[in-house]
Amino acid sequence: MEILAFGVQSDEKPLMEKAFAGHHEVRCLDVFLNEDTAPIAAGYEIISTSVNATLNNHVLQTLAAGGTHLIAQRSTGFNNIDLEVAERLGLTVARVSYYSPYSVAEFAWTLAMAVNRRIVRASNRTRDFDFRLDGLMGRDLRGRTVGVLGTGKIGEAFTRIAHGFGMKLLGWDIAENPACVDLGMKYVDKERLLTEADLISLHVPLLPATEHIVGSAALRTMKDDAILVNSSRGGLIDTKALVSELREGRFTGVGLDVYEAEAGLFFLDKSLDVVEDDTLARLVTFPNVLVTSHQAYYTVDAVSQIIETTVANVLDYQAGRRSENVLVPFAPKS
């Protein structure tokens, strides 16, 4: 059987082919699944999608009509999939419920350190042989307060690094993580965390309850010289409200690996196009903002785990097994 995989990066392709070898052939496409590309899947019982795929009613209808039965998404998040429609159509949906939390946690700290120590500005200057230090002053993090919104596996890994820096630890989540408590984390309400933290990092999933969890009111609560990092999902931050605060000269730095309207932009080369997203265009002009294109997970360790789990999801589907990765249960084939 041949598996059709959408949105496969060039670095990812050899890992995909190697992982599926001995099980199935895999056809890797660099295009993302959306309403325009969905017809390509006709005749494929099993497809694999990336985090920026569009799996709305129209796309799912197209997939079902073309004979697709399994959608194996190569990500933990699944807010891009209409699960109710998938279930109604009899489509099985699986995801990757776990991969290296260190990949994302370490990258979140990379963003935090880069904006704190003005690394991008310094690098650009030295390329022009400008070796002045004006405007490059950062702050020691030791002794300052970090606020971690979401203390699951990734939040815990992020907290361990913060503990290594010698920071005061504040956390917020629906349930306390004993490992974080052992590190000295104090769980507080979200408002107190936002008010007291010098550095805030987001590690919660994007759900209706967490959409714009950092909105205009939350942003106004934060310290004027705070650092904000988001390596989870773009929809956690109200970007227009963030731009408004940045225009007022607030925040030491903002590091974003995700953006709420990133679909159709991230993972693509838009360097020769006119970007019509005015909010993103304004966001990247701020000297204290660093935006990367959803690459926090992108290590050989994490991507290998993601692909291996995707292979396992395919084999489980074919054997009629159900694991924790299944979002929509197996449906009998017609």
Side-chain angles (χ1 to χ4, degrees):
M1 179 184 294
E2 186 177 51
I3 313 299
L4 182 63
F6 286 91
V8 179
Q9 304 296 314
S10 58
D11 296 330
E12 186 183 7
K13 184 177 179 180
L15 299 175
M16 287 277 288
E17 293 173 339
K18 180 179 180 180
F20 273 101
H23 301 293
H24 298 289
E25 294 182 17
V26 59
R27 179 187 175 194
C28 296
L29 304 179
D30 58 1
V31 298
F32 296 98
L33 177 62
N34 54 40
E35 294 184 2
D36 293 328
T37 60
I40 301 174
Y44 286 90
E45 180 182 344
I46 300 173
I47 69 165
S48 178
T49 58
S50 61
V51 66
N52 270 353
T54 299
L55 288 149
N56 57 20
N57 178 67
H58 183 277
V59 170
L60 293 171
Q61 291 273 7
T62 302
L63 294 176
T68 296
H69 288 282
L70 171 66
I71 300 167
Q73 177 139 302
R74 304 187 307 279
S75 72
T76 299
F78 52 89
N79 54 286
N80 60 319
I81 308 173
D82 192 326
L83 297 179
E84 292 183 2
V85 172
E87 185 171 13
R88 175 165 52 81
L89 294 172
L91 293 167
T92 298
V93 181
R95 63 160 178 163
V96 177
S97 59
Y98 175 85
Y99 61 87
S100 168
Y102 310 107
S103 61
V104 179
E106 290 172 5
F107 193 83
W109 271 107
T110 301
L111 290 175
M113 295 302 294
V115 296
N116 178 40
R117 301 305 301 269
R118 315 289 198 261
I119 298 299
V120 174
R121 183 185 298 179
S123 176
N124 290 338
R125 280 188 185 179
T126 56
R127 285 178 179 271
D128 293 330
F129 297 97
D130 179 353
F131 300 105
R132 293 172 301 158
L133 297 182
D134 296 342
L136 302 183
M137 185 174 288
R139 296 181 294 177
D140 287 3
L141 293 179
R142 181 176 178 80
R144 286 190 162 83
T145 300
V146 63
V148 186
L149 287 171
T151 55
K153 292 181 177 66
I154 297 173
E156 178 187 331
F158 183 90
T159 300
R160 290 187 182 280
I161 299 171
H163 181 262
F165 273 111
M167 301 187 74
K168 300 174 184 176
L169 310 174
L170 295 181
W172 177 88
D173 209 325
I174 57 175
E176 295 185 3
N177 183 335
C180 292
V181 174
D182 289 344
L183 291 170
M185 173 171 280
K186 183 176 182 178
Y187 280 84
V188 297
D189 60 58
K190 179 165 62 73
E191 289 68 27
R192 179 178 170 185
L193 184 150
L194 294 171
T195 300
E196 297 184 8
D198 300 294
L199 165 61
I200 296 168
S201 191
L202 309 183
H203 300 288
V204 295
L206 179 59
L207 303 169
T210 60
E211 184 174 8
H212 286 182
I213 192 171
V214 179
S216 57
L219 290 164
R220 286 194 297 271
T221 300
M222 293 168 55
K223 293 181 177 181
D224 288 342
D225 61 353
I227 293 172
L228 175 63
V229 173
N230 186 11
S231 58
S232 183
R233 288 293 182 269
L236 298 175
I237 296 178
D238 183 339
T239 315
K240 290 184 178 179
L242 175 60
V243 168
S244 295
E245 296 300 315
L246 288 166
R247 291 180 65 180
E248 296 298 320
R250 301 191 62 220
F251 307 134
T252 290
V254 175
L256 304 175
D257 186 51
V258 287
Y259 173 61
E260 59 182 324
E262 68 183 55
L265 290 173
F266 282 19
F267 305 147
L268 300 172
D269 182 2
K270 295 289 184 178
S271 59
L272 298 179
D273 299 342
V274 175
V275 176
E276 298 178 356
D277 188 326
D278 292 339
T279 303
L280 179 60
R282 183 68 179 93
L283 186 65
V284 298
T285 65
F286 292 104
N288 57 334
V289 174
L290 176 57
V291 179
T292 53
S293 55
H294 206 141
Q295 69 181 81
Y297 77 100
Y298 207 53
T299 67
V300 64
D301 310 87
V303 172
S304 295
Q305 286 181 287
I306 289 169
I307 293 171
E308 289 166 6
T309 302
T310 300
V311 173
N313 287 340
V314 169
L315 298 179
D316 283 346
Y317 161 79
Q318 292 183 308
R321 296 187 296 263
R322 181 173 177 178
S323 74
E324 63 178 353
N325 297 322
V326 177
L327 298 169
V328 178
F330 302 116
K333 301 175 188 178
S334 59

